[in-house]
Amino acid sequence: MPNSYTKPLIAGNWKMNGLNASVSEFRLMLSEANKLFNKVDLLICPPVTLLQSFAQLTKDTDFSVGGQDCHINNSGAHTGDISAEMLADIGAKYCIVGHSERRADHHETNSIVHAKASAVWKSGTVAIICVGETDEEYIKRETLKVVENQLLESVPLGATSFNTVIAYEPVWAIGTGKTPTTDDVKNVHAVIRKHMTERFGEEGTIIRILYGGSVKPSNAQEILGVANVDGALVGGASLKAFDFIAIAKAAS
Ligand code: 13P
């Protein structure tokens, strides 16, 4: 359940999914989203190939679009990379950094994630900084230690509720259909809240903390009802307009 200062944020991460044909699914999502904006903030992070067309479609709405990753620099000789400034230039309002798939597939360390979050801030958009333990770390009961260290090393000084969202995504829960117990979610989010408050004072008490990992319409209400869960970062279920809207309704 989000604190009283902020609306929950339901964010969809489309990952490497979606072709031009998916624009119609997004249009459907937009038309269904209209009545929800007074209760919930909505965001889709499509692949970069669709970002500009989604940004055009959402131009005069409260629906936000964002990037899934960015380079640490604004520009330069980095073939294939995209900067936060470029994402902002075409209408992104947010950018995910440090997703576990980036950390695993591209060997992104906490210090790289830290630099990416700073680059997002410089572009004037909001960094969604992801943390979360692997299956092995979960089994060894290292979750809290791992998450605290990721926060310490990945979240730059200067985080505020305007420039930062934290997403807790246990790696073992992503795309598996498995979710932690609500008690586990509550404990991890409480530790994240404590960390953010100790480091960032008043702002740390209202920075949104999302849960991600196998969120779907059937479990959204229960997860979103947990203390310090200020929204969700949704993968698979965000590809379907009706599933994503059902999750948004559970938050509203
Ligand atoms: P799923 O919702 O498909 O488990 O993915 C979660 C995720 O990784 C969102 O960033």
Side-chain angles (χ1 to χ4, degrees), residues 13 15 99 101 169 173-175 212-215 233-236:
N13 174 9
K15 308 189 180 183
H99 192 282
E101 287 150 16
E169 299 203 304
I174 295 176
S214 296
V215 176
L233 183 53
V234 186

Side-chain angles (χ1 to χ4, degrees), residues 4 32 38 67 116 127 170 196:
S4 53
E32 293 293 316
N38 55 342
K116 290 187 173 194
M196 299 304 283

Side-chain angles (χ1 to χ4, degrees), residues 16 29 42 56 71 77 114 116 151 164 166 185 192 212 243:
M16 198 172 71
M29 211 178 263
L42 295 175
Q56 289 297 324
H71 195 270
H114 184 284
K116 290 187 173 194
L151 290 170
T164 300
I166 304 296
V185 174
I192 296 173
D243 285 352

Side-chain angles (χ1 to χ4, degrees), residues 172-184:
W172 54 271
I174 295 176
T176 60
K178 292 192 248 172
T179 51
T181 64
T182 47
D183 270 352
D184 281 347

Side-chain angles (χ1 to χ4, degrees), residues 114-162:
H114 184 284
K116 290 187 173 194
S118 299
V120 175
W121 292 355
K122 262 190 234 141
S123 76
T125 57
V126 182
I128 301 181
I129 305 174
C130 300
V131 297
E133 80 284 5
T134 62
D135 196 16
E136 200 186 334
E137 290 159 346
Y138 175 70
I139 290 164
K140 289 206 231 146
R141 296 178 181 274
E142 291 175 351
T143 300
L144 297 179
K145 189 180 88 181
V146 168
V147 167
E148 280 216 89
N149 189 56
Q150 286 174 330
L151 290 170
L152 190 65
E153 296 184 359
S154 310
V155 183
L157 283 178
T160 70
S161 57
F162 297 101

